[in-house]
Amino acid sequence: MEHITHPFSELFEQLGLDASHEGIAHFLSAHRLPPEVELVDAPFWSKSQSNFLKEGLQNDSDWAEIIDQLNSSLR
């Protein structure tokens, strides 16, 4: 089975966020998560965004790796 990796821009598109280089950089600089807050519980996600992230991680989907990278980038 082929392993698919998605770039940040595709993840941001899936989340309905600005997927441009500038948009991603702005989002990452404007949002920070303390260690005790799970990524999927961040206050800045809508319910559907949170569900997408949660399902991607729980199902170990092809999105899981880039979702983990997003989590790291927000710390």
Side-chain angles (χ1 to χ4, degrees), residues 15 33-34 36-58 67-68 70-71 74-75:
L15 293 169
L33 284 176
E36 67 274 4
V37 176
E38 295 290 328
L39 175 67
V40 299
D41 297 327
F44 45 82
W45 300 130
S46 69
K47 182 73 171 163
S48 62
Q49 289 170 323
S50 178
N51 286 339
F52 173 79
L53 295 168
K54 188 181 301 181
E55 289 173 12
L57 292 170
Q58 286 176 341
I67 292 171
D68 284 339
L70 175 62
N71 187 35
L74 291 169
R75 303 296 171 167

Side-chain angles (χ1 to χ4, degrees), residues 7-25 27:
F8 257 176
S9 60
E10 283 184 23
L11 177 60
F12 274 64
E13 287 173 2
Q14 283 293 120
L15 293 169
L17 301 171
D18 182 352
S20 69
H21 178 73
E22 296 80 14
I24 293 170
F27 182 89

